[in-house]
Amino acid sequence: MPAIITPNKTEQERKRRVEDHDNGAGRRPPTDKRTGGGGDNDNWNERPHGRRGPYERLHRYRMGIFFALASDLMFFVAIVSTFFVNQSTGHFDAYNHYVNEWLPTTIPPILWLNTVVLLLSSGTIEFARRNMFRETDVMDEWLGLGKPITRRALPWLSATIGLGVLFLTGQWIAWRQLARQHVFFKTNQSSHFFYLITGVHAIHLFLGIAALLAAFTGLYVSRQLENRQILVDGAAWYWHAMGLLWLFLFTLLVFFQ
Amino acid sequence: MIWSRFTSAATQLPWSLPADASAHGPALDHHLLLNLWIALALLALAHLILFTGLLARRHSAPNHLWRIEYLPLAALALLFATLTVKAERLWAAARYTGASPTALQVEATGVQFAWYFRYPGPDATFGLTHPNLVAPGEGNPLGVDPKDPHSADDHVSSQLVLPANREVDLRLNAQDVIHGFSIPEMRLKQNAVPGQTIHLHFTPTTPGTYAILCTQLCGLGHYRMNATLRILPPDQFANWLATQQKAAQ
Amino acid sequence: MTPHSNVPPTRSHGPRKLTPKPHPILSRIFSTDHRTIGIQYLILALVSVIIGTTLSLLMRIHLVWPDWPLPLHGLILPEDYLALVTIHGTVMLFFVLTTAPQAGFGNLILPAQIGARTMAFPGLNAASFWLTAIALITLLCSTFAPGGAAISGWTAYPPLSAVPSAGPGQALGMDLWLASIALFAIASTASSINTLTTILRNRCPGMTWERLPLTVWGWFTAALLSIIAFSVLLAAILLLFCDRHAGTSFFLPNGDLVNGVLHQGGNGSPLLWLHLFWFFGHPEVYIAILPGMGLTSMLLANFSHRRVFAYRTMIVTTLLIGLLGILLWGHHMFVAGLNPFASSAFSISTMAIALPAAAKVLSWLATTWRSRPSYKTPMLFALGFVSLFITGGLTGPILAQPILDEYLHNTFFVVAHFHLIMAMAGIFGLYAATYYWFPLLTATRSHPGRLLSEPLGHLHFWCTLIGAYAVFLPMHLTGLAGEPRHYAQLTGIPGPGGSLSPAGALLSHTLPLNRFITYAAFFLAAGQLLFLINLARTLYKGNFASSNPWQATTLEWHPTMNPFTPSSASDTSEISVHRMPCHYQSNKVEISFLPQWAPVSFAQGEIANATDSKPE
Ligand code: HEA
Ligand code: HEA
Ligand code: CUA
Ligand SMILES: [Cu+2]
């Protein structure tokens, strides 16, 4: 067990944000690992790494995003189950023959490229995210030695935004290509789903890019390190989830139509 | 026995179950009444316990956990399991299998806001229908295709007429929205879903005139989307069918 | 027990200084303070319940006196009746029974009960409320839409709801209805994310999972169900919207001919909507009742001065009801065209849920058993909840048997079932919460909270209980007699030759009983005026309450949780929890209680061992 730095009396009596159980973003180094009460009568020192003291608020936001993503997952599960139901439904035609008119939509090849782009962007955002938590940099910032974190994370974040826009452009090109072959949203059952799934996913990516832009401005504007960490971390997890979801949806569109 | 006493007592009340006129009805009624009496008994028992507990003098908190927690639960589990098994048996008898091949073929179609019934005629095959051909004003509310050889002898009626004591194989369709085909006196209810044909089989027993209702909200005329079921003795039914067929040709 | 007085006790400190804000009124309206938001939710629910009740009375009037002209409107046409049913069901279920217990009291009480000073995401919280308010306004606007309000019930089955040509109200009215529910779904999801994170992250030291009050478990499970269920509803609404406006046919079958308009080319399935809707719809009704169940457990223990019987089992059954609740949506579709084998499977899972529910009932009975409770109004409403839950719940397993549902589906038997267990039990839970927590709702920085009048409360309770049973018990009978739901009229359905058709005869049979139900509904609604009078009177000049008027043990009654506190909240040291809730001890002469926040005292620990195990 690591040594516990017992806070001295003056520090204990300073004004604290009780609701946050003191998130440590104030005067003490943000990497400090102290014990504290996190419910369940537990000792933070006994918790796994990264689950201690100062990251309270970060973890709260992360948890919120995870719940939101769980809910979002159900949204897509509903759409995908509709996909399977619709795919297997046919009807009786005028001659009493059972017909299933499902005509799979050919996937524009550019989607493969887009997938690679999205995967790359997941990598870049992960670098940005990790850079937010490098301990030496965090200490430097806290000591007032410039903004090394921002310096390190910004290029990765910008790259992610670029790749995200590239992906959306790629999707748009894919829709245009389909439209040139006269496959529209209305055309047939499988095109309903192709446009619906890619479209809804694209809306999610728009929101993701908005979050990345917010993180981007946050890196410039916010003086509190913790806020910046939260912004980048939240955007990153959301972005990862959208990447994963795309893999799943893309597999569905390519192999299960 | 006791149950039949309860049953007959209950049917005399002005708001009781409508009379039953189908072969599977008595078993259903019996099971329903059994359920109702059990629910009533549990209701009374639970309230009795509640009131006794409230009125009695204060006593220490109960703490024999297994006896008052798990024993009643086990008893209730047994009770509900028995009811489930009984109900599933009846359900299986009614729905798991299709009608016998000799059953009378009838088709019922729900349209906002009427029921139409179609008899296949001597060839025992329904003619094809086509939504493009639907023309209620011209006497073809179901869109029967005149080019189909099977449709010539089909006969469409706004009244459902059935012989007593013969199994009926009813195919349910809907043209526009979901309707609910329900004959309370036959203890029968099944939604008619557009794009789907659902088979339903039952055997009417008692001749008489009964109500056919729509029990799935289908628009403003939902409440007046009803029809009449006439159950005739077999010989009268044969006469009726013959006259209808003659009129159709 | 409670020192009543009309003079606010003097505070030891002066009023806390407020940090200056630019727009005092705006910042109070668009507050991110969870207590303010909770009150806002309750006001929204109160407005909704008044609207919903008025609509239900109009429905009842029209059912028995179809020729009565509604002032300023004229005759109630069939489509008006269906619009009434639809808006009544939607307003009551979504905007009353989902908002008030879960979001309203969830904001007002939940943080305090786990020893947190705020919700996890105050901004998100305010956003959820305003989204809910916009959803309500959208719904109310839909009644004025050209072409009328939506008429397809709260379940909105397509193709009726998918095709604007299907009848009045299915054009703009339906669009607004769908938009309203979509907004509501988003708002509820956001507020549930907030609730879950708050419970998981903001508990005070010592608040272990086991020590969480059962109310918190109710909110927790309901929030879990919300994030699972509402997004499925949202997806279904999106698909339906595409069907209506983008030419798709997810729910439209091939060759569907509605009112002369032919829909060709689609291969959708209306049953798919039923699956998606009920996957949401069934959890939704449990969302409405779970907080009430938790509260009932806590109140029965509080006023009986007992521990909750089988506390751990109660936690497990709450979660179990939530879990099973997601698995049995098909019991609304026994006769909707499901495969009969699927019906059997859903039937069995539905029967299974009767067991955790019965375990809850047993715990309630055992908690009050020979306890000589004090009959304060909140206790009465909690007991009423138990009674109504049993009465309404016992018809559940009857409906859950497909062969019986084949007769009972969409009759007033179902209406009776869900009004007793959901509407009435839910309302009783709400009233219990209101009477119980009123001091916390009304406490401000300048004066302590007020208590609602007990005599008026008792009268209100008896009127509501008698009214509830008088309205909804006879509905079982009209349902058994065959009266279907959603029937705009029971009389005057002509048959051939001007005579009464068999259908008309069947339905008019139930008229005498229906008249009685209508009278009883008026009595029930009039009884609610007592509550409104009590509310108005108390807000104006009610008795002030002490800081813990009910000798409660849970944290929301901790002196510093109250806004009227001697010292400001952030100055006090952190609250910590030392034991499970409802720690009561009784010996022959007196009853003592040990709040969750009180540090263990040696002497009382010994009393616990010495008493309460031996009778008398
Ligand atoms: C919470 C839910 C709720 C509540 C309270 C009610 C209350 C009432 N309902 Fe309703 N009802 C529904 C939910 C509810 N209903 C639903 C979901 C449907 C189905 C809709 C559909 O098919 O689409 C329905 C349908 C329905 C029908 C069927 C119509 C039909 O199918 O033809 C009828 C008919 O009599 C009816 C009547 C009544 C009556 C007389 C009351 C009376 O009890 C009203 C008296 C009112 C009260 C007792 C409430 C007082 C409460 C408060 C004042 C709360 C205080 C608030 C706070 C403390 C914040 N309702
Ligand atoms: C809060 C809301 C709520 C709750 C809790 C329930 C609880 C239950 N419901 Fe209900 N239900 C609705 C709200 C609710 N329902 C609504 C709104 C509808 C209609 C929707 C619509 O169509 O518009 C509906 C419709 C509905 C149907 C469909 C009917 C139909 O349309 O044909 C079915 C069928 O299975 C059903 C079953 C059940 C069951 C088995 C329970 C069980 O959970 C009940 C469990 C409780 C008990 C079993 C009582 C326990 C007590 C005892 C066992 C006593 C113990 C005795 C002693 C100790 C002596 N419900
Ligand atoms: Cu057809 Cu209701
Ligand atoms: Cu249900």
Side-chain angles (χ1 to χ4, degrees), chain C residues 389-525:
Chain C
F389 183 82
I390 295 172
T391 316
L394 280 168
T395 47
I398 300 182
L399 292 169
Q401 300 168 37
I403 189 74
L404 301 182
D405 192 53
E406 178 171 13
Y407 181 66
L408 297 170
H409 179 64
N410 274 356
T411 62
F412 262 70
F413 194 85
V414 178
V415 177
H417 157 71
F418 72 73
H419 274 93
L420 278 179
I421 196 170
M422 175 179 77
M424 290 302 114
I427 289 292
F428 270 58
L430 265 185
Y431 277 133
T434 310
Y435 280 94
Y436 183 66
W437 283 319
F438 206 69
L440 296 181
L441 308 194
T442 47
T444 66
R445 296 218 172 89
S446 51
H447 64 77
R450 297 172 190 269
L451 278 168
L452 285 164
S453 144
E454 278 288 316
L456 262 178
H458 275 61
L459 191 62
H460 171 219
F461 166 76
W462 287 111
C463 288
T464 312
L465 187 75
I466 293 168
Y469 273 122
V471 175
F472 297 112
L473 276 185
M475 276 190 190
H476 291 100
L477 299 177
T478 64
L480 284 172
E483 185 193 355
R485 297 167 70 175
H486 301 133
Y487 264 33
Q489 221 165 302
L490 301 174
T491 54
I493 297 170
S499 68
L500 205 59
S501 68
L506 185 83
L507 296 177
S508 51
H509 202 55
T510 63
L511 261 181
L513 210 53
N514 265 310
R515 257 180 230 120
F516 172 79
I517 294 174
T518 298
Y519 294 130
F522 271 94
F523 172 76
L524 173 61

Side-chain angles (χ1 to χ4, degrees), chain C residues 42 45-46 49 52-53 56-57 59-60 63 81 85-86 88-90 92-93 96-97 100 105 152-155 412 415 418-419 422-424 427 430-431 434 464 471-472 475 484-487 517 521 524-525 528 531-532:
Chain C
L42 287 192
L46 198 61
V49 87
T53 305
S56 79
L57 293 181
M59 274 149 58
R60 287 309 320 173
L63 269 181
Y81 177 82
V85 177
T86 306
H88 164 76
T90 317
M92 285 292 203
L93 188 48
V96 180
L97 269 200
F105 286 106
S152 38
W154 79 284
T155 53
F412 262 70
V415 177
F418 72 73
H419 274 93
M422 175 179 77
M424 290 302 114
I427 289 292
L430 265 185
Y431 277 133
T434 310
T464 312
V471 175
F472 297 112
M475 276 190 190
R485 297 167 70 175
H486 301 133
Y487 264 33
I517 294 174
L524 173 61
Q528 307 316 306
F531 171 70
L532 294 181

Side-chain angles (χ1 to χ4, degrees), chain B residues 39 41-49 68 72-73 76 79-80 189 216, chain C residues 93 97 153-155 157 277-278 281-290 293 321 328-335 346-347 349-365 386 388-402 404-411 413-415 417-423 425-426 485-486:
Chain B
L42 283 178
L43 177 67
L45 180 64
H47 279 83
L48 192 73
I49 297 175
I68 54 179
L73 271 189
L76 283 174
L79 179 67
F80 287 137
K189 189 170 289 154
Q216 184 63 56
Chain C
L93 188 48
L97 269 200
W154 79 284
T155 53
Y157 286 2
F277 181 86
W278 286 117
H282 189 85
E284 161 67 10
V285 302
Y286 284 112
I287 292 168
I289 205 75
L290 278 167
M293 290 178 167
I321 288 177
L328 40 75
W329 73 91
H331 69 213
H332 297 274
M333 304 163 62
F334 287 148
V335 298
F346 282 122
S347 161
S349 64
T350 307
M351 293 300 269
I353 210 170
L355 292 177
K360 285 212 171 288
V361 172
L362 277 168
S363 158
W364 295 331
L365 295 182
V386 175
L388 290 162
F389 183 82
I390 295 172
T391 316
L394 280 168
T395 47
I398 300 182
L399 292 169
Q401 300 168 37
L404 301 182
D405 192 53
E406 178 171 13
Y407 181 66
L408 297 170
H409 179 64
N410 274 356
T411 62
F413 194 85
V414 178
V415 177
H417 157 71
F418 72 73
H419 274 93
L420 278 179
I421 196 170
M422 175 179 77
R485 297 167 70 175
H486 301 133

Side-chain angles (χ1 to χ4, degrees), chain A residues 21-177:
Chain A
H21 311 297
D22 193 6
N23 55 43
R27 305 196 65 87
R28 48 178 79 243
T31 55
D32 184 9
K33 301 173 174 81
R34 280 165 302 122
T35 75
D40 281 357
N41 243 359
D42 63 351
N43 182 340
W44 281 350
N45 261 21
E46 283 155 16
R47 287 196 178 182
H49 240 19
R51 292 291 165 110
R52 298 178 191 165
Y55 291 131
E56 274 281 322
R57 204 151 73 89
L58 174 77
H59 287 305
R60 197 161 70 217
Y61 278 92
R62 207 182 262 173
M63 177 170 281
I65 282 169
F66 282 157
F67 279 126
L69 287 172
S71 168
D72 206 35
L73 181 68
M74 286 308 294
F75 180 84
F76 279 98
V77 166
I79 288 183
V80 169
S81 38
T82 315
F83 172 89
F84 282 117
V85 172
N86 241 292
Q87 189 184 35
S88 58
T89 328
H91 65 95
F92 289 92
D93 69 357
Y95 307 99
N96 245 350
H97 299 306
Y98 187 79
V99 287
N100 182 332
E101 290 166 330
W102 182 270
L103 295 168
T105 307
T106 28
I107 303 299
I110 191 173
L111 286 193
W112 289 94
L113 207 62
N114 293 350
T115 309
V116 174
V117 168
L118 198 60
L119 286 183
L120 272 181
S121 75
S122 232
T124 52
I125 191 69
E126 183 62 16
F127 278 116
R129 196 184 76 80
R130 298 228 164 145
N131 274 323
M132 298 309 291
F133 298 98
R134 278 175 57 119
E135 273 190 19
T136 46
D137 291 353
V138 168
M139 282 305 287
D140 278 1
E141 286 230 352
W142 183 70
L143 293 168
L145 304 176
K147 282 183 139 193
I149 288 201
T150 307
R151 210 161 15 84
R152 273 179 198 273
L154 262 183
W156 293 115
L157 196 61
S158 323
T160 316
I161 297 179
L163 289 172
V165 173
L166 201 63
F167 175 83
L168 283 182
T169 323
Q171 297 291 81
W172 192 69
I173 293 173
W175 293 328
R176 290 304 305 266
Q177 284 178 350

